[in-house]
Amino acid sequence: MSKEENLECSFCGRKKAETDLLIAGVDAHICDKCIEQAHGIVEEEVSETKTGDLSKDLLLRKPVAIKTFLDQYIIGQDETKRSMAVAVYNHYKRLLQTTDDEDEVEIEKSNIVLVGETGTGKTLVARTIAKMLNVPFSIVDATVLTQAGYVGEDVESILSRLLQAADYDLEKAQRGIVFIDEIDKIARKGDNPSITRDVSGEGVQQALLKLLEGTVVNVAPKGGRKHPEQKFIEVDTKDILFIAGGAFSGIERIISKRLNRQAVGFSASLDDDKIDEENLLQYIIPSDLKAFGLIPEIIGRLPVLSYMNPLDTVTLRAILTAPKNSIIKQYTKLFTMDDIDFTIEEDALNYIVENAVAYKLGARGLRSLCEAIFTDAMFELPSAEEKVLKVTKEYAESKLTNTTLKKLRAAS
């Protein structure tokens, strides 16, 4: 018997004659059957590792738990929190689903569009959800985006910021959340498709289509303009959740016009279905976004439509003290760090809220008002011997002069 016929697989012991192929190494041999078996084991291990990593990093909770978490940071907006909780839960369930050849059901993305006045908490909702899920989160401003080839930022720069938020971990970035702010500012200028180039309006919407739906995009790692010699990172957007937000100023007129059309004629009556004139946004439907200037294709790629209620006196008062990181709790912590005994009376809190409502400063204005009231104390008390600050309504009135209020209103 020749030396070659004596060769056998070092793993299973099969003789060369019993195999179709025997590959030689330095001091060992492996047959084709062992190679096939090893390949199957490797594929299974890699698949399990990927799913395991995703499950480990992603802190996915049920919709009720998501809403409960949001309640700690955001006052009111129950309808939005419910819609967001369901959409986010379904989106990340889609990522965790195992692929099965027999099951042909493929879950599509549920991108979200939020409509609400400035300062109602659109960005805060998205940021809080990302924090809870432990996924990368980036905020981009739609107003700086232009059609490719024009002065401004290309649409792909959205993904550059997400990569930066994920510390350039591609796998992590590809399951992150992107919040596109001021989406209403890229509405087309008229209700009809433009015959001239609308490079910062309809052109941007067209460029966003593939991104929202899911495609592989060449992204410049550090952002900026593209050029031929630049190195790109390929980012797949099919598992990125996009949340678009905008004030859509004036959309109430479109909603009102649509609702009034339903009450035309002698027999028409709206008595059975009372309309809340103070909050028309709750009646928003996708056709209102189309009338405002979003193209039908982009509305279709943002299937979850929700709204933010305007902030009333009760909500603003709760925002001051109720959330986990409320404004007053933050100032209390700042004063405590300097061993200052800080208290604020109920009348003073109500006075701050009244001014926020009267000057239409919103939730952001609460912070500005508090800053105007507390700045002098924060400057003087850390160096003073007597470290006590009791804020009364009279104290707040003395710090909030008419001139200060006018400045705050102009800045908001």
Side-chain angles (χ1 to χ4, degrees):
M1 189 178 284
S2 67
K3 186 178 179 183
E4 192 173 324
E5 288 177 347
N6 282 332
L7 295 175
E8 61 181 31
C9 177
S10 304
F11 290 85
C12 65
R14 288 190 183 92
K15 300 292 183 185
K16 187 177 189 306
E18 298 172 15
T19 66
D20 294 328
L21 182 67
L22 190 69
I23 299 172
V26 179
D27 294 315
H29 297 77
I30 184 169
C31 70
D32 55 310
K33 291 182 176 61
C34 286
I35 290 170
E36 284 179 13
Q37 191 174 1
H39 178 67
I41 292 169
V42 169
E43 276 195 332
E44 190 177 335
E45 283 294 319
V46 169
S47 174
E48 284 181 6
T49 303
K50 282 183 178 176
T51 308
D53 284 347
L54 181 56
S55 302
K56 182 180 71 178
D57 294 341
L58 183 65
L59 304 175
L60 185 60
R61 305 185 193 186
K62 302 286 172 62
V64 172
I66 294 174
K67 184 183 177 296
T68 303
F69 184 87
L70 290 173
D71 287 338
Q72 296 177 49
Y73 296 90
I74 299 149
I75 300 298
Q77 313 296 359
D78 285 339
E79 283 299 318
T80 298
K81 286 189 279 193
R82 287 167 69 93
S83 300
M84 291 280 283
V86 171
V88 167
Y89 180 63
N90 286 341
H91 175 76
Y92 284 100
K93 265 201 307 188
R94 168 180 174 268
L95 267 63
L96 293 168
Q97 78 177 83
T98 53
T99 52
D100 187 355
D101 293 336
E102 294 178 7
D103 184 8
E104 295 180 356
V105 177
E106 187 177 342
I107 304 170
E108 292 186 355
K109 277 212 297 182
S110 50
N111 295 320
I112 304 158
V113 58
L114 287 176
V115 180
E117 294 174 8
T118 183
T120 49
K122 299 184 293 293
T123 312
L124 181 61
V125 170
R127 191 194 297 278
T128 307
I129 281 180
K131 176 184 175 182
M132 184 201 69
L133 294 173
N134 191 32
V135 293
F137 176 71
S138 70
I139 302 172
V140 292
D141 192 342
T143 55
V144 300
L145 302 174
T146 55
Q147 205 171 339
Y150 289 85
V151 175
E153 289 190 25
D154 290 345
V155 168
E156 288 82 1
S157 66
I158 289 173
L159 301 176
S160 297
R161 293 177 192 177
L162 186 63
L163 274 170
Q164 290 164 12
D167 292 326
Y168 294 95
D169 182 336
L170 184 60
E171 288 292 323
K172 207 170 177 185
Q174 286 180 159
R175 58 175 190 267
I177 296 176
V178 174
F179 183 79
I180 306 173
D181 203 5
E182 310 287 2
I183 191 79
D184 53 315
K185 304 301 187 292
I186 59 167
R188 61 189 181 199
K189 304 304 179 270
D191 196 21
N192 298 316
S194 57
I195 54 172
T196 56
R197 284 200 180 275
D198 184 9
V199 298
S200 61
E202 191 175 345
V204 176
Q205 291 189 54
Q206 297 285 358
L208 278 172
L209 292 179
K210 278 290 178 189
L211 216 65
L212 295 175
E213 188 175 24
T215 188
V216 178
V217 182
N218 287 329
V219 178
K222 294 181 181 177
R225 308 295 297 175
K226 288 183 177 180
H227 56 83
E229 296 176 6
Q230 195 173 24
K231 289 183 179 178
F232 294 110
I233 297 174
E234 286 191 346
V235 179
D236 192 347
T237 67
K238 69 181 174 66
D239 293 333
I240 296 173
L241 180 64
F242 290 92
I243 302 173
F248 289 87
S249 181
I251 201 167
E252 290 89 351
R253 289 194 297 272
I254 296 169
I255 298 169
S256 177
K257 191 177 177 183
R258 172 174 56 79
L259 292 173
N260 287 338
R261 277 179 182 165
Q262 296 170 0
V264 176
F266 293 107
S267 60
S269 174
L270 292 177
D271 291 340
D272 297 335
D273 189 15
K274 297 278 185 183
I275 292 174
D276 182 4
E277 297 288 344
E278 296 298 316
N279 183 17
L280 287 172
L281 279 182
Q282 62 187 296
Y283 307 111
I284 194 166
I285 58 174
S287 65
D288 298 324
L289 299 181
K290 180 177 178 290
F292 189 85
L294 293 190
I295 60 176
E297 298 93 324
I298 208 164
I299 295 168
R301 285 163 176 81
L302 295 165
V304 181
L305 171 59
S306 193
Y307 63 92
M308 305 293 284
N309 292 312
L311 302 179
D312 57 15
T313 306
V314 176
T315 308
L316 284 171
R317 173 63 186 82
I319 288 169
L320 264 181
T321 54
K324 203 169 184 177
N325 60 339
S326 71
I327 299 166
I328 295 300
K329 285 176 185 173
Q330 290 178 44
Y331 280 107
T332 304
K333 182 85 179 277
L334 285 169
F335 283 120
T336 304
M337 289 166 77
D338 283 318
D339 298 320
I340 296 167
D341 182 13
F342 168 70
T343 54
I344 182 165
E345 291 186 353
E346 193 71 25
D347 286 348
L349 291 171
N350 292 335
Y351 176 73
I352 293 168
V353 170
E354 285 165 14
N355 280 286
V357 173
Y359 284 85
K360 296 184 179 178
L361 296 172
R364 286 193 186 97
L366 292 174
R367 178 92 194 199
S368 303
L369 290 165
C370 289
E371 198 70 27
I373 293 167
F374 302 145
T375 296
D376 288 345
M378 286 190 289
F379 177 78
E380 294 163 1
L381 288 178
S383 306
E385 291 182 9
E386 189 179 349
K387 297 192 175 185
V388 177
L389 176 62
K390 184 178 182 180
V391 179
T392 61
K393 184 181 178 182
E394 290 73 23
Y395 180 90
E397 284 176 340
S398 66
K399 299 296 178 184
L400 282 181
T401 61
N402 287 332
T403 309
T404 307
L405 287 167
K406 283 175 184 175
K407 283 180 183 176
L408 290 175
R409 188 178 186 181
S412 66

